[in-house]
Structure formats: C-alpha cells, structure tokens
Amino acid sequence: DADVTQTPRNRITKTGKRIMLECSQTKGHDRMYWYRQDPGLGLRLIYYSFDVKDINKGEISDGYSVSRQAQAKFSLSLESAIPNQTALYFCATSDSGRYYGYTFGSGTRLTVV
Amino acid sequence: AQKVTQAQTEISVVEKEDVTLDCVYETRDTTYYLFWYKQPPSGELVFLIRRNSFDEQNEISGRYSWNFQKSTSSFNFTITASQVVDSAVYFCALSEASGYSTLTFGKGTMLLVSP
C-alpha cells in the first residue's frame, strides 16, 4: 500500500457541487498538506496542518476548506465547485522532526464542468 | 518569505545532449532544504534529491548531478546524455528549517527529449 493515499484518483463534477478529496497516510507523520497544481504555475499550497488541532491557510485557500479527522487523515473540500478549480491536487506529509522530507500522494485529477 | 524561481519554462533537446535546469531561491533563513522532483506524464511526483544548506558538495547520481552554490542562491540540476525517458516536468522546491515552514515550489521546467 502507498504511504500516502489519495481518493479519488480522478473525479469529474458539476459546477456548484460540493466535493471532498481525501488523504490518508501510514507514515506516522504529524504534518499534512494540500497542494494544487495548474500548468505553468507549479504547486501552490492550499492548506496545511501541523497536528490534529492545527489548521492553517496557505497561499490559495479561498473556495476550499479542510478537516483533519485524525493524525492520519486530512480531507480537502470544495464547498461549491467552480470550473477554475479544475486542477491536479496533491496531498503531502512531513515529519516535524529533524528529517525534512516530504511524501506525496499520487494526486487527484479534478475536473469541474 | 521563501521563493523559488525556475526561469526556464520549457527546454527541448535531442537525445544524448546534456541539459541543465536552473533553480534560484530566496530565503532569509540560514538553515534550509532544497529539493528536486520529477513529474513524468503520468502525473506523480518523483523525489530526486534533498540537500541541506550546510552541505555545498555537488552530488552525482548516475546521469544526474546537482550544483549547489550558496553564493548565487542556486541549485542547478544537470542531466548528462539525456534520454527520452527524461522527458518530464522538473520542480525545484525549498523548505526553511524553522518550525513553521512549508515546502515552496518553483513553477517547473518542462523538459522534452526527442529521439
């Protein structure tokens, strides 16, 4: 099994629908992140969580919300999806310890029509 | 604030050519980590290297090599004798070592290697 699992892998949804992207990890890392990738823009940080009770907005949080249900689970919600939220979404984890490594999920390709 | 600049949007080379991907970074921290990731057409992110700010030794891994120069805030990536399978988007990223840092990416360089 993958260390960081994102579900679904692909999703097509309609404008105005609420959608949740889920991320779970088996790394035992305390920190989790959601990034969005658009062509030519790299990966931009949406939200991040340094532990279960800590949630922080990233660079592009408008239109998104998150929930850290447990140390291993971090969900991203689009409350009312719009077409310009069509993108590739990545979940990542890291350890707040001395080892500054990041583990990424395989990505969720979201299309809003 | 931390920032990563990859000025080359797209590079095209012919197989067996050497190619260098540039990465320039900005940070106020003295301790930080630099990364390179590869994103093949399948879309997943493949970790290539992590380098901390105190280790300026260049690194070579097979056909890949990295040149870290603190004096110019650069962490460039060279592929020697490129192959078609090297075609991908390559991202440089930076994470400061302070407690509340996150990973900041450059916009990526698309490398196309043709036969």
Side-chain angles (χ1 to χ4, degrees):
Chain A
D1 286 344
D3 293 326
V4 180
T5 302
Q6 292 184 233
T7 55
R9 290 296 310 275
N10 293 281
R11 179 74 180 267
I12 300 174
T13 192
K14 293 185 177 180
T15 298
K17 292 290 187 181
R18 184 178 190 275
I19 182 170
M20 179 182 289
L21 308 184
E22 300 192 7
C23 177
S24 62
Q25 54 122 340
T26 57
K27 297 285 290 185
H29 287 171
D30 49 350
R31 300 183 174 191
M32 299 187 74
Y33 311 81
W34 275 104
Y35 285 89
R36 165 180 172 160
Q37 183 186 1
D38 298 278
L41 295 180
L43 280 77
R44 294 179 291 166
L45 185 62
I46 307 172
Y47 269 96
Y48 60 102
S49 168
F50 283 172
D51 66 41
V52 175
K53 296 180 180 178
D54 177 77
I55 302 288
N56 303 282
K57 292 182 178 180
E59 181 186 351
I60 52 164
S61 59
D62 286 350
Y64 302 94
S65 62
V66 291
S67 172
R68 185 83 183 264
Q69 301 96 323
Q71 187 187 36
K73 295 183 181 294
F74 193 36
S75 300
L76 176 72
S77 294
L78 286 68
E79 300 301 327
S80 179
I82 56 177
N84 79 358
Q85 291 177 312
T86 294
L88 181 57
Y89 291 84
F90 285 101
C91 175
T93 70
S94 71
D95 189 339
S96 61
R98 296 175 62 86
Y99 175 75
Y100 284 86
Y102 293 79
T103 303
F104 282 83
S106 299
T108 294
R109 195 168 295 277
L110 176 67
T111 302
V112 183
V113 298
Chain B
Q2 54 193 42
K3 183 179 178 182
V4 177
T5 301
Q6 294 180 256
Q8 303 151 310
T9 304
E10 188 173 322
I11 301 175
S12 293
V13 299
V14 177
E15 209 169 19
K16 298 184 183 177
E17 287 185 19
D18 298 347
V19 58
T20 296
L21 309 182
D22 297 333
C23 174
V24 174
Y25 62 91
E26 296 176 28
T27 176
R28 293 183 216 173
D29 271 16
T30 56
T31 305
Y32 50 89
Y33 293 82
L34 293 162
F35 302 78
W36 275 95
Y37 290 87
K38 174 182 179 180
Q39 186 179 46
S42 55
E44 75 273 20
L45 287 169
V46 178
F47 167 79
L48 296 177
I49 189 171
R50 182 186 83 257
R51 174 54 51 90
N52 76 56
S53 53
F54 294 109
D55 182 2
E56 288 194 71
Q57 274 193 323
N58 291 333
E59 180 149 343
I60 299 174
S61 176
R63 296 184 296 107
Y64 295 171
S65 62
W66 290 269
N67 182 273
F68 177 30
Q69 292 197 344
K70 286 177 78 170
S71 60
T72 56
S73 297
S74 65
F75 186 44
N76 296 337
F77 173 33
T78 297
I79 302 174
T80 303
S82 60
Q83 299 177 1
V84 172
V85 294
D86 296 326
S87 296
V89 180
Y90 290 86
F91 292 100
C92 180
L94 165 70
S95 178
E96 294 168 344
S98 63
Y100 292 92
S101 180
T102 58
L103 188 62
T104 297
F105 284 83
K107 294 184 177 181
T109 297
M110 179 178 290
L111 175 64
L112 178 61
V113 182
S114 52

